[in-house]
Amino acid sequence: IEEAIYQTLEADAPLSALIGNRLYPDVPTENRQVPFAVYRVTSSEPQLHTQGVSSLTRCTVEVDSFAINKATVSSVQAAVRNR
């Protein structure tokens, strides 16, 4: 799922215009150039149906954005939400 999240966010033109290729799983290494975004899957639950477990999984994904000012953080957050 992490690869699909990365590909989806990385391919988004408005988000890439803001953060370039500075999109990291979990925690970035120190001294990263801002702005950047960090994504992580915070939960993953198999979905059930009347005959047991389905092939679907519900995942919760968290994306944190970092920048020098609040306006840029808000812009990054909006671009992620609009995906």
Side-chain angles (χ1 to χ4, degrees):
I1 188 80
E2 286 87 356
E3 184 62 28
I5 294 166
Y6 178 84
Q7 289 176 359
T8 299
L9 294 174
E10 184 72 13
D12 185 68
L15 182 59
S16 291
L18 292 165
I19 65 171
N21 63 350
R22 296 181 301 274
L23 176 63
Y24 308 104
D26 298 316
V27 179
T29 59
E30 291 184 33
N31 301 320
R32 288 293 178 178
Q33 180 182 356
V34 292
F36 65 87
V38 177
Y39 64 94
R40 69 186 59 80
V41 176
T42 57
S43 70
S44 180
E45 302 173 26
Q47 295 301 289
L48 303 175
H49 57 75
T50 57
Q51 297 180 5
V53 178
S54 76
S55 61
L56 301 175
T57 301
R58 178 187 305 248
C59 295
T60 302
V61 177
E62 180 180 295
V63 179
D64 297 318
S65 54
F66 300 85
I68 292 174
N69 58 57
K70 187 174 180 173
T72 303
V73 168
S74 295
S75 296
V76 173
Q77 290 172 344
V80 170
R81 272 193 307 273
N82 291 332
R83 269 308 304 145

